Amino acid sequence: MRLPLLAGVLLLLPMAVAAQATPPPNPCTAAEYHVFDFWTGEWTVTDPQGATVGSNVIRSVSGGCALLESWTDARGTTGTSINYYDPRTQRWTQVWVGEGGSILHLQGGIVDGVMELGGERQAPDGTRVRDRIRWTPNQDGTVRQHWEISRDQGETWETLFDGVYKRKG
């Protein structure tokens, strides 16, 4: 009686192994997950006058579901962000944590070919500020990152950072 049971188990074993070997489909292969891929790579970042202000490495992680940023400025200060597309909200999100405790929570998406993310936070002096950061892919393969803040609920904006990303190598 044990022999037929063992034979049945052995017959089903290849099917069970095959079922486990087939990974579930990856939803992150859809186009909306890759609209920010122009930012991936290893970069030297300069100010508008051409002086180096830092370096950045942006790579695709988690099976293409997110971008991981590793920033180092010219003084050696670091920061990291995770960037991802949320299909429920149909928006991109960036969560940034910088050395020294700076934190940003930004959301947005592609507007006229430019990634635009924004959010609100409390400034060190206790006031509320709005952040707006735009990444523009340029014809020459560079990317411009322009970070602005507003202290008056978006009526006026001032530049906090303006950098040009040039691929290393």
Side-chain angles (χ1 to χ4, degrees), residues 65-133:
C65 293
L67 299 178
L68 182 65
E69 173 188 17
S70 299
W71 165 257
T72 304
D73 73 16
R75 297 178 311 251
T77 305
T78 62
T80 302
S81 75
I82 188 81
N83 303 266
Y84 60 91
Y85 177 76
D86 185 339
R88 292 167 296 179
T89 62
Q90 298 182 345
R91 298 183 74 165
W92 273 83
T93 297
Q94 180 182 89
V95 178
W96 162 268
V97 178
E99 186 175 328
S102 61
I103 297 172
L104 294 175
H105 290 265
L106 307 172
Q107 289 192 320
I110 294 289
V111 178
D112 297 325
V114 174
M115 178 59 78
E116 182 176 314
L117 302 177
E120 286 194 17
R121 64 183 165 90
Q122 186 171 328
D125 66 2
T127 61
R128 301 292 299 167
V129 297
R130 285 189 184 176
D131 293 288
R132 177 173 67 191
I133 305 177

Side-chain angles (χ1 to χ4, degrees), residues 94 104-109 111 114-121 129-135 144-162:
Q94 180 182 89
L104 294 175
H105 290 265
L106 307 172
Q107 289 192 320
V111 178
V114 174
M115 178 59 78
E116 182 176 314
L117 302 177
E120 286 194 17
R121 64 183 165 90
V129 297
R130 285 189 184 176
D131 293 288
R132 177 173 67 191
I133 305 177
R134 294 182 178 128
W135 291 263
R144 178 183 184 210
Q145 180 181 339
H146 188 210
W147 180 4
E148 299 173 291
I149 62 168
S150 175
R151 300 175 193 283
D152 56 13
Q153 298 300 308
E155 289 185 36
T156 61
W157 295 90
E158 64 183 270
T159 295
L160 194 59
F161 177 82
D162 195 357

Side-chain angles (χ1 to χ4, degrees), residues 18-56:
Q20 289 177 357
T22 305
N26 181 353
C28 301
T29 58
E32 55 269 19
Y33 288 88
H34 298 282
V35 297
F36 206 6
D37 282 0
F38 66 83
W39 194 37
T40 61
E42 293 187 31
W43 306 91
T44 297
V45 184
T46 62
D47 65 17
Q49 292 73 39
T52 299
V53 295
S55 64
N56 215 346

